[in-house]
Amino acid sequence: MKIIKTIHLINKWSFILTLALYLTIYLGLIAQIFLGGIQIILASILLFYWKKLDKEQKKHLITYACLVVLYGLLSLTSISTSDLALLYLVIVPMSIAGYFVYVTYKIKNTTYEPKHNCI
């Protein structure tokens, strides 16, 4: 389906743009907020295609959702040391975002690619 390809493209380019904006650090942090919102919306859209996903794809989406919820709950706590701030504010959310790019890539390539029969 074209919508799955579109979801992956939006996700991939939003992620790449955020990484590029990290050259200025401040703009990267701002872009990361938008990236998180975009990815949550895209994940919500993918839930409408839940029945079309195979078991592995469902597992990846559930894992992504659990990571997002866990990160959200941890964000309610304060970070006391600046050493952990970089990890907490940049590395962890961008790792979760990178994982979701991988998830959408896998869904795009395994669900909607035509299957060829070998005779």
Side-chain angles (χ1 to χ4, degrees):
M1 270 183 127
K2 188 173 175 104
I3 186 76
I4 300 301
K5 287 183 179 183
T6 304
I7 285 173
H8 175 65
L9 285 174
I10 291 169
N11 192 25
K12 178 177 79 172
W13 286 108
S14 298
F15 183 76
I16 291 170
L17 178 63
T18 301
L19 285 177
L21 288 172
Y22 261 110
L23 293 173
T24 64
I25 298 177
Y26 178 73
L27 290 178
L29 288 169
I30 300 298
Q32 184 176 293
I33 294 168
F34 289 104
L35 174 65
I38 290 168
Q39 287 192 329
I40 289 172
I41 291 168
L42 295 177
S44 300
I45 293 170
L46 284 175
L47 292 178
F48 288 106
Y49 297 91
W50 186 258
K51 290 182 180 180
K52 294 183 180 184
L53 302 177
D54 65 27
K55 190 175 184 177
E56 180 184 344
Q57 295 164 341
K58 289 177 182 178
K59 184 179 124 189
H60 282 302
L61 269 180
I62 290 169
T63 301
Y64 170 74
C66 289
L67 289 171
V68 169
V69 169
L70 181 62
Y71 182 75
L73 291 174
L74 288 175
S75 69
L76 298 175
T77 65
S78 63
I79 301 171
S80 59
T81 64
S82 61
D83 293 340
L84 290 178
L86 176 67
L87 176 71
Y88 183 75
L89 294 174
V90 178
I91 296 172
V92 172
M94 289 304 289
S95 297
I96 294 171
Y99 178 67
F100 189 61
V101 172
Y102 169 76
V103 170
T104 58
Y105 171 79
K106 293 293 282 185
I107 290 173
K108 176 186 78 93
N109 284 341
T110 58
T111 306
Y112 300 103
E113 289 289 317
K115 307 284 190 242
H116 298 289
N117 291 334
C118 296
I119 297 177

